[in-house]
Amino acid sequence: QRGAPKLALLDLDQAVELLPNNFRPYYERGVVHHEMRNYELAIRDYGTAIRLDPQYVYAYNNIGLNYERIGNKVMARTYYDAAIKLRPNNNYALTRRGFITASDGGYEAALVDYNAAIAVEPRHLLARVYRAESYERLGRLQEAVADYQAVIDVPTTRAGVSDDQLAKRAAVKGIEGVKHKI
């Protein structure tokens, strides 16, 4: 967290040696590997964390994201499905699964996941932007405008949630593009 991932890895390597049957050091090392863009190593560590604690849903979320990063949508979906099975109201996994579905052209199916994610967390701005994009691709432009506008109208972003800032920028850009189509 202080910008020294290599030092963090040294500490986490020691933690793994001291606690080889504890999922947490593997999970945390996976986080560091992800931040360093060592996605295959992150996948390995998250996989070990899951083996040691099959109920730790965050490891499923993160391994899915790392599979996305290396372009393996099938494995990413497998882990998002598992995360949703463990926690049906997992708005992160619902949103990411929707994103994968939409990226393959399954916009109607993606809407199901986005709607579920937004029902769980109405302030999930990125899910709203993704839903707006799916509406736009389906030609449901008024619904797209409504979602983009809802994101723009949120008075503040949640502290520490960088996705909110990204969502706001995407919504401003998205609404301009949709208004030209109407």
Side-chain angles (χ1 to χ4, degrees):
Q1 291 177 343
R2 294 186 178 157
K6 290 180 181 176
L7 291 175
L9 284 177
L10 291 173
D11 289 341
L12 289 165
D13 288 345
Q14 286 181 339
V16 163
E17 285 181 36
L18 293 170
L19 303 166
N21 296 317
N22 186 318
F23 78 95
R24 194 65 183 202
Y26 293 98
Y27 175 81
E28 295 298 338
R29 193 169 66 180
V31 170
V32 174
H33 282 308
H34 174 83
E35 290 173 6
M36 295 176 71
R37 296 190 169 129
N38 295 327
Y39 303 124
E40 289 86 0
L41 294 175
I43 288 167
R44 182 194 67 199
D45 280 339
Y46 291 135
T48 302
I50 289 168
R51 183 177 51 75
L52 293 171
D53 184 353
Q55 300 301 309
Y56 194 63
V57 72
Y58 298 107
Y60 291 89
N61 288 346
N62 288 2
I63 199 171
L65 181 61
N66 281 273
Y67 273 116
E68 274 189 77
R69 294 291 188 259
I70 65 170
N72 190 334
K73 293 179 188 178
V74 172
M75 288 302 294
R77 179 185 303 280
T78 297
Y79 282 97
Y80 293 141
D81 288 345
I84 293 164
K85 185 176 180 182
L86 280 174
R87 187 183 303 157
N89 290 331
N90 183 335
N91 67 343
Y92 180 86
L94 288 163
T95 300
R96 295 309 313 162
R97 187 174 72 180
F99 181 82
I100 290 171
T101 302
S103 73
D104 287 336
Y107 304 115
E108 288 287 351
L111 288 174
V112 173
D113 281 339
Y114 296 146
N115 289 335
I118 293 165
V120 171
E121 176 52 64
R123 287 277 320 257
H124 195 311
L125 302 184
L126 203 52
R128 283 192 183 274
V129 167
Y130 291 157
R131 185 172 73 177
E133 291 170 350
S134 288
Y135 283 144
E136 184 177 351
R137 285 175 177 82
L138 290 167
R140 295 164 62 178
L141 302 181
Q142 294 301 328
E143 290 165 291
V145 167
D147 264 349
Y148 285 136
Q149 193 64 54
V151 171
I152 293 167
D153 290 346
V154 170
T156 59
T157 57
R158 296 169 290 175
V161 182
S162 61
D163 283 352
D164 281 3
Q165 309 249 334
L166 173 70
K168 281 196 163 280
R169 288 191 303 273
V172 169
K173 185 178 177 181
I175 202 166
E176 290 304 316
V178 173
K179 284 183 176 179
H180 290 12
K181 296 178 184 178
I182 296 178

mmCIF file of all heavy atoms in Angstrom, residues 5-6 8-10 12-13 16 25-46 66 69:
data_model
loop_
_atom_site.group_PDB
_atom_site.id
_atom_site.type_symbol
_atom_site.label_atom_id
_atom_site.label_comp_id
_atom_site.label_asym_id
_atom_site.label_seq_id
_atom_site.Cartn_x
_atom_site.Cartn_y
_atom_site.Cartn_z
ATOM 1 N N PRO A 5 5.869 -2.803 -3.563
ATOM 2 C CA PRO A 5 5.337 -4.162 -3.748
ATOM 3 C C PRO A 5 6.389 -5.259 -3.630
ATOM 4 O O PRO A 5 6.093 -6.350 -3.153
ATOM 5 C CB PRO A 5 4.721 -4.116 -5.148
ATOM 6 C CG PRO A 5 5.390 -2.979 -5.841
ATOM 7 C CD PRO A 5 5.736 -1.984 -4.770
ATOM 8 N N LYS A 6 7.626 -4.979 -4.022
ATOM 9 C CA LYS A 6 8.662 -6.015 -3.920
ATOM 10 C C LYS A 6 8.955 -6.353 -2.464
ATOM 11 O O LYS A 6 9.155 -7.521 -2.123
ATOM 12 C CB LYS A 6 9.924 -5.584 -4.657
ATOM 13 C CG LYS A 6 9.729 -5.561 -6.166
ATOM 14 C CD LYS A 6 10.975 -5.135 -6.890
ATOM 15 C CE LYS A 6 10.692 -5.104 -8.394
ATOM 16 N NZ LYS A 6 11.836 -4.605 -9.151
ATOM 17 N N ALA A 8 6.754 -5.996 -0.084
ATOM 18 C CA ALA A 8 5.547 -6.701 0.365
ATOM 19 C C ALA A 8 5.628 -8.173 -0.014
ATOM 20 O O ALA A 8 5.269 -9.048 0.779
ATOM 21 C CB ALA A 8 4.301 -6.056 -0.232
ATOM 22 N N LEU A 9 6.107 -8.438 -1.225
ATOM 23 C CA LEU A 9 6.232 -9.837 -1.653
ATOM 24 C C LEU A 9 7.204 -10.608 -0.765
ATOM 25 O O LEU A 9 6.949 -11.772 -0.438
ATOM 26 C CB LEU A 9 6.677 -9.921 -3.117
ATOM 27 C CG LEU A 9 5.614 -9.622 -4.151
ATOM 28 C CD1 LEU A 9 6.212 -9.678 -5.559
ATOM 29 C CD2 LEU A 9 4.429 -10.566 -4.030
ATOM 30 N N LEU A 10 8.300 -9.986 -0.381
ATOM 31 C CA LEU A 10 9.246 -10.659 0.519
ATOM 32 C C LEU A 10 8.568 -11.021 1.836
ATOM 33 O O LEU A 10 8.720 -12.145 2.341
ATOM 34 C CB LEU A 10 10.471 -9.776 0.773
ATOM 35 C CG LEU A 10 11.415 -9.571 -0.412
ATOM 36 C CD1 LEU A 10 12.484 -8.536 -0.056
ATOM 37 C CD2 LEU A 10 12.048 -10.893 -0.820
ATOM 38 N N LEU A 12 5.336 -11.371 2.347
ATOM 39 C CA LEU A 12 4.281 -12.363 2.104
ATOM 40 C C LEU A 12 4.867 -13.743 1.822
ATOM 41 O O LEU A 12 4.274 -14.754 2.209
ATOM 42 C CB LEU A 12 3.359 -11.891 0.984
ATOM 43 C CG LEU A 12 2.476 -10.712 1.383
ATOM 44 C CD1 LEU A 12 1.862 -10.057 0.158
ATOM 45 C CD2 LEU A 12 1.394 -11.162 2.363
ATOM 46 N N ASP A 13 6.025 -13.802 1.169
ATOM 47 C CA ASP A 13 6.701 -15.090 0.978
ATOM 48 C C ASP A 13 7.032 -15.721 2.331
ATOM 49 O O ASP A 13 6.845 -16.926 2.528
ATOM 50 C CB ASP A 13 7.977 -14.924 0.153
ATOM 51 C CG ASP A 13 7.709 -14.634 -1.316
ATOM 52 O OD1 ASP A 13 6.566 -14.837 -1.778
ATOM 53 O OD2 ASP A 13 8.662 -14.184 -2.004
ATOM 54 N N VAL A 16 3.831 -17.010 3.928
ATOM 55 C CA VAL A 16 3.428 -18.285 3.329
ATOM 56 C C VAL A 16 4.248 -19.430 3.920
ATOM 57 O O VAL A 16 3.711 -20.500 4.204
ATOM 58 C CB VAL A 16 3.553 -18.225 1.786
ATOM 59 C CG1 VAL A 16 3.538 -19.613 1.170
ATOM 60 C CG2 VAL A 16 2.444 -17.362 1.200
ATOM 61 N N PRO A 25 -2.234 -15.247 3.584
ATOM 62 C CA PRO A 25 -1.010 -14.766 2.922
ATOM 63 C C PRO A 25 -1.015 -15.019 1.413
ATOM 64 O O PRO A 25 -0.504 -14.207 0.641
ATOM 65 C CB PRO A 25 0.120 -15.537 3.596
ATOM 66 C CG PRO A 25 -0.451 -16.150 4.809
ATOM 67 C CD PRO A 25 -1.932 -16.207 4.642
ATOM 68 N N TYR A 26 -1.615 -16.115 0.991
ATOM 69 C CA TYR A 26 -1.709 -16.396 -0.445
ATOM 70 C C TYR A 26 -2.605 -15.370 -1.128
ATOM 71 O O TYR A 26 -2.292 -14.854 -2.205
ATOM 72 C CB TYR A 26 -2.249 -17.805 -0.702
ATOM 73 C CG TYR A 26 -1.314 -18.894 -0.266
ATOM 74 C CD1 TYR A 26 -1.488 -19.525 0.962
ATOM 75 C CD2 TYR A 26 -0.260 -19.300 -1.076
ATOM 76 C CE1 TYR A 26 -0.621 -20.531 1.372
ATOM 77 C CE2 TYR A 26 0.606 -20.309 -0.678
ATOM 78 C CZ TYR A 26 0.415 -20.911 0.552
ATOM 79 O OH TYR A 26 1.274 -21.913 0.960
ATOM 80 N N TYR A 27 -3.732 -15.093 -0.477
ATOM 81 C CA TYR A 27 -4.657 -14.101 -1.032
ATOM 82 C C TYR A 27 -3.964 -12.743 -1.154
ATOM 83 O O TYR A 27 -4.004 -12.111 -2.210
ATOM 84 C CB TYR A 27 -5.915 -13.988 -0.159
ATOM 85 C CG TYR A 27 -6.824 -12.892 -0.633
ATOM 86 C CD1 TYR A 27 -7.690 -13.098 -1.701
ATOM 87 C CD2 TYR A 27 -6.797 -11.628 -0.037
ATOM 88 C CE1 TYR A 27 -8.502 -12.080 -2.153
ATOM 89 C CE2 TYR A 27 -7.610 -10.610 -0.487
ATOM 90 C CZ TYR A 27 -8.465 -10.834 -1.548
ATOM 91 O OH TYR A 27 -9.256 -9.821 -2.012
ATOM 92 N N GLU A 28 -3.322 -12.310 -0.085
ATOM 93 C CA GLU A 28 -2.671 -10.998 -0.093
ATOM 94 C C GLU A 28 -1.533 -10.947 -1.108
ATOM 95 O O GLU A 28 -1.322 -9.929 -1.769
ATOM 96 C CB GLU A 28 -2.161 -10.637 1.307
ATOM 97 C CG GLU A 28 -3.256 -10.457 2.331
ATOM 98 C CD GLU A 28 -4.229 -9.324 2.028
ATOM 99 O OE1 GLU A 28 -3.881 -8.392 1.266
ATOM 100 O OE2 GLU A 28 -5.359 -9.381 2.555
ATOM 101 N N ARG A 29 -0.810 -12.040 -1.250
ATOM 102 C CA ARG A 29 0.257 -12.080 -2.254
ATOM 103 C C ARG A 29 -0.343 -12.011 -3.655
ATOM 104 O O ARG A 29 0.212 -11.363 -4.545
ATOM 105 C CB ARG A 29 1.114 -13.339 -2.063
ATOM 106 C CG ARG A 29 2.408 -13.288 -2.853
ATOM 107 C CD ARG A 29 3.363 -14.379 -2.459
ATOM 108 N NE ARG A 29 2.845 -15.702 -2.801
ATOM 109 C CZ ARG A 29 3.487 -16.839 -2.570
ATOM 110 N NH1 ARG A 29 4.684 -16.828 -1.976
ATOM 111 N NH2 ARG A 29 2.958 -17.996 -2.901
ATOM 112 N N GLY A 30 -1.510 -12.632 -3.829
ATOM 113 C CA GLY A 30 -2.206 -12.513 -5.107
ATOM 114 C C GLY A 30 -2.567 -11.071 -5.414
ATOM 115 O O GLY A 30 -2.454 -10.619 -6.564
ATOM 116 N N VAL A 31 -2.983 -10.321 -4.405
ATOM 117 C CA VAL A 31 -3.309 -8.902 -4.589
ATOM 118 C C VAL A 31 -2.076 -8.144 -5.084
ATOM 119 O O VAL A 31 -2.150 -7.353 -6.032
ATOM 120 C CB VAL A 31 -3.847 -8.284 -3.276
ATOM 121 C CG1 VAL A 31 -3.959 -6.768 -3.389
ATOM 122 C CG2 VAL A 31 -5.189 -8.896 -2.906
ATOM 123 N N VAL A 32 -0.935 -8.400 -4.456
ATOM 124 C CA VAL A 32 0.297 -7.715 -4.857
ATOM 125 C C VAL A 32 0.690 -8.114 -6.273
ATOM 126 O O VAL A 32 1.043 -7.254 -7.098
ATOM 127 C CB VAL A 32 1.440 -7.993 -3.856
ATOM 128 C CG1 VAL A 32 2.759 -7.387 -4.353
ATOM 129 C CG2 VAL A 32 1.082 -7.450 -2.474
ATOM 130 N N HIS A 33 0.610 -9.400 -6.584
ATOM 131 C CA HIS A 33 0.934 -9.837 -7.953
ATOM 132 C C HIS A 33 0.011 -9.166 -8.962
ATOM 133 O O HIS A 33 0.463 -8.746 -10.033
ATOM 134 C CB HIS A 33 0.838 -11.361 -8.081
ATOM 135 C CG HIS A 33 2.009 -12.086 -7.521
ATOM 136 N ND1 HIS A 33 3.310 -11.800 -7.852
ATOM 137 C CD2 HIS A 33 2.068 -13.115 -6.632
ATOM 138 C CE1 HIS A 33 4.124 -12.610 -7.216
ATOM 139 N NE2 HIS A 33 3.398 -13.408 -6.449
ATOM 140 N N HIS A 34 -1.263 -9.051 -8.640
ATOM 141 C CA HIS A 34 -2.198 -8.380 -9.552
ATOM 142 C C HIS A 34 -1.774 -6.930 -9.773
ATOM 143 O O HIS A 34 -1.732 -6.451 -10.899
ATOM 144 C CB HIS A 34 -3.629 -8.434 -9.007
ATOM 145 C CG HIS A 34 -4.582 -7.634 -9.828
ATOM 146 N ND1 HIS A 34 -5.153 -8.133 -10.977
ATOM 147 C CD2 HIS A 34 -5.052 -6.370 -9.690
ATOM 148 C CE1 HIS A 34 -5.933 -7.204 -11.511
ATOM 149 N NE2 HIS A 34 -5.881 -6.124 -10.740
ATOM 150 N N GLU A 35 -1.478 -6.228 -8.686
ATOM 151 C CA GLU A 35 -1.077 -4.826 -8.801
ATOM 152 C C GLU A 35 0.199 -4.674 -9.620
ATOM 153 O O GLU A 35 0.396 -3.652 -10.290
ATOM 154 C CB GLU A 35 -0.908 -4.215 -7.413
ATOM 155 C CG GLU A 35 -2.237 -4.040 -6.700
ATOM 156 C CD GLU A 35 -2.100 -3.596 -5.257
ATOM 157 O OE1 GLU A 35 -0.963 -3.307 -4.804
ATOM 158 O OE2 GLU A 35 -3.139 -3.545 -4.580
ATOM 159 N N MET A 36 1.045 -5.685 -9.607
ATOM 160 C CA MET A 36 2.286 -5.663 -10.389
ATOM 161 C C MET A 36 2.071 -6.205 -11.805
ATOM 162 O O MET A 36 3.019 -6.322 -12.570
ATOM 163 C CB MET A 36 3.363 -6.470 -9.665
ATOM 164 C CG MET A 36 3.776 -5.854 -8.337
ATOM 165 S SD MET A 36 4.967 -6.882 -7.440
ATOM 166 C CE MET A 36 6.431 -6.656 -8.457
ATOM 167 N N ARG A 37 0.829 -6.545 -12.113
ATOM 168 C CA ARG A 37 0.432 -7.101 -13.420
ATOM 169 C C ARG A 37 1.060 -8.459 -13.703
ATOM 170 O O ARG A 37 1.253 -8.843 -14.857
ATOM 171 C CB ARG A 37 0.728 -6.108 -14.536
ATOM 172 C CG ARG A 37 -0.090 -4.850 -14.398
ATOM 173 C CD ARG A 37 0.011 -3.967 -15.599
ATOM 174 N NE ARG A 37 -1.004 -2.931 -15.491
ATOM 175 C CZ ARG A 37 -0.761 -1.648 -15.623
ATOM 176 N NH1 ARG A 37 0.442 -1.237 -15.898
ATOM 177 N NH2 ARG A 37 -1.738 -0.775 -15.505
ATOM 178 N N ASN A 38 1.342 -9.186 -12.647
ATOM 179 C CA ASN A 38 1.797 -10.579 -12.762
ATOM 180 C C ASN A 38 0.567 -11.467 -12.599
ATOM 181 O O ASN A 38 0.389 -12.122 -11.577
ATOM 182 C CB ASN A 38 2.847 -10.896 -11.683
ATOM 183 C CG ASN A 38 4.113 -10.097 -11.857
ATOM 184 O OD1 ASN A 38 4.514 -9.795 -12.979
ATOM 185 N ND2 ASN A 38 4.732 -9.726 -10.755
ATOM 186 N N TYR A 39 -0.286 -11.466 -13.611
ATOM 187 C CA TYR A 39 -1.605 -12.079 -13.494
ATOM 188 C C TYR A 39 -1.551 -13.583 -13.292
ATOM 189 O O TYR A 39 -2.339 -14.131 -12.535
ATOM 190 C CB TYR A 39 -2.469 -11.711 -14.704
ATOM 191 C CG TYR A 39 -2.608 -10.212 -14.863
ATOM 192 C CD1 TYR A 39 -2.255 -9.585 -16.048
ATOM 193 C CD2 TYR A 39 -3.073 -9.424 -13.808
ATOM 194 C CE1 TYR A 39 -2.383 -8.213 -16.192
ATOM 195 C CE2 TYR A 39 -3.199 -8.051 -13.948
ATOM 196 C CZ TYR A 39 -2.848 -7.452 -15.143
ATOM 197 O OH TYR A 39 -2.961 -6.090 -15.267
ATOM 198 N N GLU A 40 -0.614 -14.269 -13.966
ATOM 199 C CA GLU A 40 -0.529 -15.716 -13.789
ATOM 200 C C GLU A 40 -0.137 -16.076 -12.356
ATOM 201 O O GLU A 40 -0.661 -17.036 -11.780
ATOM 202 C CB GLU A 40 0.453 -16.334 -14.791
ATOM 203 C CG GLU A 40 -0.039 -16.334 -16.231
ATOM 204 C CD GLU A 40 0.265 -15.036 -16.986
ATOM 205 O OE1 GLU A 40 0.863 -14.101 -16.395
ATOM 206 O OE2 GLU A 40 -0.105 -14.953 -18.167
ATOM 207 N N LEU A 41 0.781 -15.291 -11.778
ATOM 208 C CA LEU A 41 1.178 -15.543 -10.388
ATOM 209 C C LEU A 41 0.020 -15.231 -9.441
ATOM 210 O O LEU A 41 -0.181 -15.937 -8.444
ATOM 211 C CB LEU A 41 2.415 -14.720 -10.023
ATOM 212 C CG LEU A 41 3.701 -15.104 -10.761
ATOM 213 C CD1 LEU A 41 4.826 -14.136 -10.410
ATOM 214 C CD2 LEU A 41 4.103 -16.544 -10.469
ATOM 215 N N ALA A 42 -0.723 -14.187 -9.747
ATOM 216 C CA ALA A 42 -1.897 -13.860 -8.927
ATOM 217 C C ALA A 42 -2.905 -14.996 -8.988
ATOM 218 O O ALA A 42 -3.457 -15.400 -7.951
ATOM 219 C CB ALA A 42 -2.531 -12.553 -9.399
ATOM 220 N N ILE A 43 -3.137 -15.531 -10.176
ATOM 221 C CA ILE A 43 -4.071 -16.650 -10.334
ATOM 222 C C ILE A 43 -3.620 -17.842 -9.489
ATOM 223 O O ILE A 43 -4.430 -18.465 -8.806
ATOM 224 C CB ILE A 43 -4.204 -17.039 -11.825
ATOM 225 C CG1 ILE A 43 -4.999 -15.955 -12.577
ATOM 226 C CG2 ILE A 43 -4.845 -18.411 -11.998
ATOM 227 C CD1 ILE A 43 -4.939 -16.064 -14.086
ATOM 228 N N ARG A 44 -2.341 -18.135 -9.525
ATOM 229 C CA ARG A 44 -1.812 -19.252 -8.730
ATOM 230 C C ARG A 44 -2.089 -19.038 -7.239
ATOM 231 O O ARG A 44 -2.578 -19.933 -6.550
ATOM 232 C CB ARG A 44 -0.313 -19.409 -8.971
ATOM 233 C CG ARG A 44 0.290 -20.592 -8.212
ATOM 234 C CD ARG A 44 1.792 -20.553 -8.169
ATOM 235 N NE ARG A 44 2.166 -19.390 -7.343
ATOM 236 C CZ ARG A 44 3.364 -18.815 -7.352
ATOM 237 N NH1 ARG A 44 4.302 -19.257 -8.139
ATOM 238 N NH2 ARG A 44 3.615 -17.784 -6.575
ATOM 239 N N ASP A 45 -1.788 -17.831 -6.748
ATOM 240 C CA ASP A 45 -1.991 -17.570 -5.325
ATOM 241 C C ASP A 45 -3.466 -17.550 -4.948
ATOM 242 O O ASP A 45 -3.853 -18.085 -3.906
ATOM 243 C CB ASP A 45 -1.310 -16.265 -4.915
ATOM 244 C CG ASP A 45 0.179 -16.441 -4.696
ATOM 245 O OD1 ASP A 45 0.634 -17.580 -4.462
ATOM 246 O OD2 ASP A 45 0.904 -15.425 -4.742
ATOM 247 N N TYR A 46 -4.303 -16.959 -5.757
ATOM 248 C CA TYR A 46 -5.737 -16.974 -5.459
ATOM 249 C C TYR A 46 -6.279 -18.402 -5.489
ATOM 250 O O TYR A 46 -7.130 -18.771 -4.680
ATOM 251 C CB TYR A 46 -6.525 -16.102 -6.435
ATOM 252 C CG TYR A 46 -6.277 -14.626 -6.281
ATOM 253 C CD1 TYR A 46 -6.068 -13.828 -7.393
ATOM 254 C CD2 TYR A 46 -6.280 -14.011 -5.029
ATOM 255 C CE1 TYR A 46 -5.862 -12.466 -7.266
ATOM 256 C CE2 TYR A 46 -6.061 -12.656 -4.893
ATOM 257 C CZ TYR A 46 -5.856 -11.884 -6.021
ATOM 258 O OH TYR A 46 -5.648 -10.536 -5.888
ATOM 259 N N ASN A 66 -8.355 -11.660 -12.761
ATOM 260 C CA ASN A 66 -7.043 -11.952 -13.338
ATOM 261 C C ASN A 66 -7.163 -12.810 -14.589
ATOM 262 O O ASN A 66 -6.401 -12.624 -15.540
ATOM 263 C CB ASN A 66 -6.127 -12.576 -12.293
ATOM 264 C CG ASN A 66 -5.564 -11.512 -11.383
ATOM 265 O OD1 ASN A 66 -4.544 -10.922 -11.681
ATOM 266 N ND2 ASN A 66 -6.242 -11.240 -10.281
ATOM 267 N N ARG A 69 -7.922 -10.452 -17.272
ATOM 268 C CA ARG A 69 -6.739 -9.691 -17.687
ATOM 269 C C ARG A 69 -5.868 -10.460 -18.672
ATOM 270 O O ARG A 69 -5.212 -9.852 -19.520
ATOM 271 C CB ARG A 69 -5.902 -9.271 -16.478
ATOM 272 C CG ARG A 69 -6.585 -8.289 -15.561
ATOM 273 C CD ARG A 69 -6.731 -6.925 -16.215
ATOM 274 N NE ARG A 69 -7.217 -5.951 -15.272
ATOM 275 C CZ ARG A 69 -8.474 -5.529 -15.194
ATOM 276 N NH1 ARG A 69 -9.387 -5.997 -16.016
ATOM 277 N NH2 ARG A 69 -8.821 -4.626 -14.309
#
